[in-house]
Amino acid sequence: MPRHQKEPHLVKRTARYNKAGKLTHTASWIIYDGAKRTSTGCGADDLEGAKIKLHEYNVAKHATTPLPEGKLPHEVLVGDLIRFYLERKKEKIQVKSASRKKDYLRDMQALVDFWADHPVSDIGEENCIAYRKGKALNTARRQLQDLRAIVNFAELKGKLDKGGRVLDYALPPKPKARFQYYSRDEVAKLVWTAYRRKNDAIGGEAGHKTSVHIARFILVACYTGTRAERIEEASFEREEGRPWIDLDRGIFFRKYDGEIAPTNKRADPVRIPKPLLEHMRRWRKGKPGKQGSQYLIEFQGRPVTTRKGFYSLKMEVFDDRRAKVVNRHTLRHTCATWLMQAGVSIGLVAKYLSATEKIIEEVYGQFHPDFQAEADHAFSRGKAGRGKEGRKVA
């Protein structure tokens, strides 16, 4: 039986020199596809960029090769379903931020590396447990959920006929909700440290501020509880593929027009609190003589990610122990916790954060002033432990 050709993959090519010792080819990433070699144009230090090029190569290669209809699980390779899924979802992938795209394609590549040569019928407890080895439980769970979505999508589009068969993805257990939140003093320290940061002075002149966009990010995340990626992608103008902010009505539309968000990551519109709205209007207007911002989070006029900037900021502000357990997502937990502490109803907090009431109650319920209040009242008023006639029970 002929051996199945290995899927296209990346190989790092070392720098090459001629006989005179002159550099002829810099170190770079090359796509190996059988005997074919294709340059990614990415240097040896740009692995993430090379992975995106590999993804684009795979999509282009298989875009014109239709996947047969109604194949049985033992007749179709998982790798073919992954390529079919990525091809059909390419527009959705393209509008992701650079950081989200890299993370997503890294997950897809992990699935390809393990599953590409397996038929769908191989998806079962034994292989899924083998896939989980060496991976963090959250990472393995997320990637296996992606695999399930890919298979279900192929079945929905008529490319796979499971014949009623149920595949066992052996998902790791969902982690128990554990979270940290910032105090108001901690948030204030983060914001002011970010706002005052400057680069080194050049030629005797004062340095320029380098982390104002991080300060803005912290304020928006704390006031609205919005996920980091949606804050980074947001624009003050209505643009295709971007969340946008209506400063006239004071509403943050956290989904772009036409976007279908997963049920567990809904991004409903949110009313912008007045203090934050005033900040946003100043950012949009700009200082006298300076152009205002087009994007909510931007640096030198272009939208940027806050991942590295926030990491370096927290390492500067907190000691190692505290810095280890907090991150950007902690700001979302902070928003929810502060609202609950203020006595806002669970239903309203759920709508504000685009979450379910069940999740809000389970995760943040203990912070609400009314948490188990009835039990407290029963004991405080002396009703607990009494019979129907109000007599003490022996």
Side-chain angles (χ1 to χ4, degrees):
M1 181 177 178
R3 184 179 180 182
H4 182 73
Q5 179 175 307
K6 189 174 182 179
E7 291 292 314
H9 58 285
L10 293 170
V11 173
K12 184 192 288 187
R13 185 170 63 185
T14 58
R16 290 187 286 178
Y17 302 83
N18 59 20
K19 293 181 179 180
K22 184 178 180 180
L23 179 67
T24 57
H25 296 83
T26 58
S28 61
W29 290 101
I30 306 296
I31 298 173
Y32 275 49
D33 184 7
K36 184 178 179 181
R37 306 288 183 266
T38 303
S39 173
T40 63
C42 299
D45 59 345
D46 188 13
L47 177 57
E48 296 300 330
K51 287 180 179 179
I52 293 177
K53 292 295 183 182
L54 176 61
H55 160 69
E56 294 172 348
Y57 176 89
N58 280 325
V59 170
K61 176 181 177 181
H62 297 278
T64 57
T65 305
L67 192 64
E69 302 283 338
K71 287 286 187 178
L72 296 174
H74 68 276
E75 296 176 319
V76 59
L77 296 177
V78 175
D80 291 331
L81 296 190
I82 294 175
R83 286 191 293 267
F84 172 73
Y85 183 84
L86 292 175
E87 167 61 22
R88 297 294 291 269
K89 299 289 185 179
K90 62 182 180 181
E91 292 184 1
K92 183 178 179 180
I93 296 172
Q94 288 302 323
V95 298
K96 292 178 181 288
S97 66
S99 61
R100 290 177 69 189
K101 183 187 294 185
K102 288 179 180 179
D103 291 343
Y104 183 74
L105 294 180
R106 182 172 60 243
D107 287 345
M108 290 297 105
Q109 189 60 48
L111 291 174
V112 169
D113 292 343
F114 184 92
W115 293 102
D117 296 335
H118 285 272
V120 175
S121 57
D122 278 358
I123 298 176
E125 182 179 20
E126 184 178 349
N127 282 327
C128 287
I129 291 177
Y131 178 78
R132 286 160 44 178
K133 288 182 179 178
K135 295 181 174 66
L137 288 183
N138 286 350
T139 300
R141 181 180 175 85
R142 182 182 67 248
Q143 292 175 355
L144 288 172
Q145 286 177 323
D146 286 339
L147 177 63
R148 182 174 61 186
I150 290 167
V151 173
N152 289 343
F153 181 77
E155 185 179 26
L156 177 66
K157 298 302 180 181
K159 303 300 182 181
L160 177 68
D161 181 6
K162 291 194 293 188
R165 177 175 178 175
V166 178
L167 301 175
D168 184 0
Y169 294 88
L171 294 177
K174 189 175 182 179
K176 187 177 181 180
R178 297 175 60 189
F179 70 95
Q180 299 283 331
Y181 68 95
Y182 297 110
S183 68
R184 291 185 177 274
D185 287 343
E186 286 178 326
V187 171
K189 191 171 183 179
L190 285 168
V191 170
W192 283 110
T193 302
Y195 186 77
R196 293 167 177 167
R197 265 181 166 182
K198 292 183 179 181
N199 59 7
D200 295 333
I202 300 175
E205 299 180 1
H208 297 286
K209 291 184 176 180
T210 58
S211 300
V212 171
H213 62 294
I214 304 296
R216 291 184 179 183
F217 168 79
I218 295 168
L219 289 173
V220 176
C222 265
Y223 271 109
T224 69
T226 305
R227 297 178 186 276
E229 294 81 3
R230 295 191 177 277
I231 296 175
E232 293 169 347
E233 295 170 356
S235 172
F236 287 116
E237 299 177 6
R238 198 165 188 166
E239 296 184 30
E240 184 177 353
R242 287 186 178 277
W244 74 288
I245 297 162
D246 186 341
L247 292 176
D248 294 328
R249 297 168 59 194
I251 298 177
F252 185 180
F253 292 92
R254 297 186 283 199
K255 287 194 302 186
Y256 58 82
D257 291 343
E259 180 184 3
I260 301 176
T263 305
N264 64 334
K265 290 191 177 180
R266 287 170 26 230
D268 302 327
V270 62
R271 183 181 183 86
I272 304 170
K274 288 183 179 179
L276 178 61
L277 184 60
E278 292 175 359
H279 282 305
M280 288 182 171
R281 285 172 174 164
R282 286 196 296 270
W283 300 341
R284 176 60 170 155
K285 183 178 180 180
K287 294 181 179 179
K290 290 188 177 182
Q291 185 176 355
S293 301
Q294 178 178 345
Y295 301 103
L296 182 56
I297 308 299
E298 65 177 30
F299 183 74
Q300 296 181 347
R302 57 186 178 84
V304 292
T305 180
T306 59
R307 186 191 298 268
K308 292 183 179 179
F310 187 87
Y311 178 83
S312 63
L313 176 66
K314 74 170 186 175
M315 298 304 293
E316 177 181 344
V317 170
F318 302 125
D319 59 35
D320 291 344
R321 184 176 179 180
R322 182 60 171 161
K324 187 177 180 179
V325 296
V326 295
N327 53 33
R328 295 184 303 169
H329 196 70
T330 305
L331 294 166
R332 178 174 168 85
H333 293 312
T334 300
C335 177
T337 303
W338 287 3
L339 289 175
M340 294 291 281
Q341 289 174 336
V344 179
S345 70
I346 289 176
L348 183 56
V349 175
K351 291 179 180 178
Y352 196 76
L353 269 73
S354 292
T356 65
E357 291 188 26
K358 179 181 178 182
I359 291 296
I360 296 299
E361 185 171 12
E362 287 179 354
V363 179
Y364 309 103
Q366 71 269 28
F367 295 105
H368 201 279
D370 294 335
F371 177 62
Q372 297 180 353
E374 292 184 12
D376 177 34
H377 292 164
F379 281 105
S380 300
R381 296 173 182 176
K383 292 184 177 181
R386 295 180 181 273
K388 292 182 179 180
E389 292 79 17
R391 294 191 300 271
K392 291 185 179 180
V393 179

